[in-house]
Amino acid sequence: MCTTCGCGNGAKALLHDLQSGEARPLDASREHAHDHHDHDHDHHHHDHEHDHASHEVMLEQRLLAKNDALAERNRAWFSGREILALNLMSAPGAGKTTLLERTIRDVGTEMAISVIEGDQATSHDGERIRAAGAASVQVNTGSGCHLDADMVAHGLDALRPAVGSVVMIENVGNLVCPALFDLGERAKLAILSVTEGDDKPLKYPHMFRASKIMILNKIDLLAHVDFDEKTAIANALRVNPQITVFSLSAQTGEGFDQWYDWLRREAARVQETAIQCC
Amino acid sequence: MHELGIARNIVSIASDAAKGRRVTRVTVEIGGLSGVMADAVAFCFDVVAEGTPLQGAKLDIREIEGRARCNACGAEFATPELFTACACGSSDTTRLSGEELSIKSMELEEAA
């Protein structure tokens, strides 16, 4: 089992290809994928220098180096195919899947969207995405609390997204762990719903700090809840002065234009960058 | 939640580099703003190290204080929170330290 995440040996990560209906455990192939990345660390020199003295071996390595290397590989894969990849993170129930369903229905014809769905169990969300008209694979992380770069790589193997398309990665509902793990995405998006607290950006600063966009969802409920939109936005900006906020309702569709404009712009940018670098 | 995974990574990286030799000490750096709790990593470490070349090894955790430089006035200051603003009022800052999450070195048992 992957040592990057804390999901334990008993955790069974599963991948459901919702097009073919095939489900398979990720473990065996994941071990294999990791083999290629078992760095040799280049520490041999140090060993010799220190063997007879302090026996101290310098390692100087980021603890998440393995995940970071795999994430860079995903990033290069996306870039080579001019794919816009976005990592959607939120607490459970903030409306990630509903946001994607509406987005697929509204702009799915002008841009090809496919989805990697991360959940601890079930393929409910993957089925919802498929019903909305997009291809999706469901990664079940077992007891794991976040997606990692290797899970995404395997998801991409099954999904085979088209050149120039958009890949939405819906992370496991969790405001803590996903922020630490680079998946190779172009941008992270934090989704906050007005049924949560407006102080959430302060309570979970890593997630909002790592995100380029905050989507404030369920604004159709603002009149019914004790949530101050201005305070929430001010708190997000306090944690991350560069964050861009879109307030919308995935239920009613209010506020979606600015989100779609941003999506179109980012997709165009990915293609421009690809042209420039070749 | 992810501290168990972090402890596993420490054991995995050190075991690979030790190439079968026994590891007696590992030194890691964990920034106070890294999103990883040093205490929780220490708690998991002994359990994860069991049955590996790191069994019984001492885990030295250097906790690094968060510091930032203000992009408005240039002051350097301690940041107990990720979003601590500068005394001048600006929250446009550059992180100097506090987000470290790395394995620095290890000590191997002297060959008999």
Side-chain angles (χ1 to χ4, degrees), chain B residues 3-78:
Chain B
E3 280 81 0
L4 176 62
I6 297 293
R8 283 211 175 92
N9 281 4
I10 295 170
V11 170
S12 160
I13 293 169
S15 299
D16 284 356
K19 301 197 185 303
R21 289 164 294 182
R22 215 172 81 77
V23 180
T24 53
R25 179 190 294 267
V26 189
T27 304
V28 299
E29 276 185 359
I30 298 181
L33 306 173
S34 65
V36 170
M37 288 171 63
D39 286 352
V41 173
F43 179 79
C44 298
F45 178 76
D46 289 343
V47 179
V48 175
E50 219 174 281
T52 76
L54 280 83
Q55 186 167 333
K58 184 167 177 358
L59 177 66
D60 267 346
I61 300 181
R62 290 189 207 151
E63 292 187 62
I64 312 286
E65 179 197 52
R67 294 191 66 78
R69 184 187 302 115
C70 175
N71 293 333
C73 75
E76 287 185 14
F77 56 101

Side-chain angles (χ1 to χ4, degrees), chain A residues 13-84:
Chain A
L14 286 173
L15 189 138
H16 291 265
D17 186 332
L18 296 166
Q19 281 62 245
S20 66
E22 194 188 325
R24 61 180 165 82
L26 274 181
D27 295 40
S29 53
R30 297 184 74 212
E31 292 287 349
H32 178 70
H34 279 227
D35 284 348
H36 300 298
H37 295 275
D38 271 342
H39 310 293
D40 224 342
H41 300 308
D42 291 326
H43 303 306
H44 320 79
H45 322 295
H46 298 294
D47 290 13
H48 292 297
E49 282 164 29
H50 295 282
D51 259 1
H52 304 289
S54 68
H55 299 269
E56 185 165 8
V57 180
M58 302 312 289
L59 295 170
E60 288 294 349
Q61 192 180 333
R62 264 182 55 80
L63 283 170
L64 298 176
K66 216 175 232 183
N67 184 71
D68 291 349
L70 288 169
E72 279 313 316
R73 200 173 66 162
N74 289 347
R75 190 163 280 119
W77 195 93
F78 287 130
S79 163
R81 286 163 185 77
E82 302 176 22
I83 291 172
L84 170 62

Side-chain angles (χ1 to χ4, degrees), chain A residues 76 78-82 269-278:
Chain A
F78 287 130
S79 163
R81 286 163 185 77
E82 302 176 22
R269 265 188 208 142
V270 167
Q271 293 180 13
E272 279 163 26
T273 324
I275 291 162
Q276 278 164 12
C277 75
C278 298

Side-chain angles (χ1 to χ4, degrees), chain A residues 2-9 38-41 43-44 47 51-66 120 143-146 174 176-177 180-181 201-203 205-206 209 237-242, chain B residues 1-10 12-14 16-19 21 26-30 32-36 41 62 81-85 91-95 99-111:
Chain A
C2 176
T3 54
T4 303
C5 73
C7 40
N9 288 325
D38 271 342
H39 310 293
D40 224 342
H41 300 308
H43 303 306
H44 320 79
D47 290 13
D51 259 1
H52 304 289
S54 68
H55 299 269
E56 185 165 8
V57 180
M58 302 312 289
L59 295 170
E60 288 294 349
Q61 192 180 333
R62 264 182 55 80
L63 283 170
L64 298 176
K66 216 175 232 183
Q120 286 200 323
S143 58
C145 47
H146 57 266
N174 175 348
V176 184
C177 311
L180 272 185
F181 292 83
L202 303 181
K203 286 156 108 178
H206 283 93
R209 170 76 169 237
L237 286 169
R238 208 176 136 198
V239 172
N240 179 356
Q242 272 82 46
Chain B
M1 252 165 134
H2 44 263
E3 280 81 0
L4 176 62
I6 297 293
R8 283 211 175 92
N9 281 4
I10 295 170
S12 160
I13 293 169
D16 284 356
K19 301 197 185 303
R21 289 164 294 182
V26 189
T27 304
V28 299
E29 276 185 359
I30 298 181
L33 306 173
S34 65
V36 170
V41 173
R62 290 189 207 151
E81 305 277 1
L82 257 185
F83 50 85
T84 306
S91 53
D92 180 13
T93 60
T94 304
R95 167 81 34 227
E99 292 186 286
E100 295 78 3
L101 203 53
S102 62
I103 182 163
K104 305 304 285 181
S105 63
M106 64 179 177
E107 272 174 33
L108 297 169
E109 193 174 57
E110 203 159 339

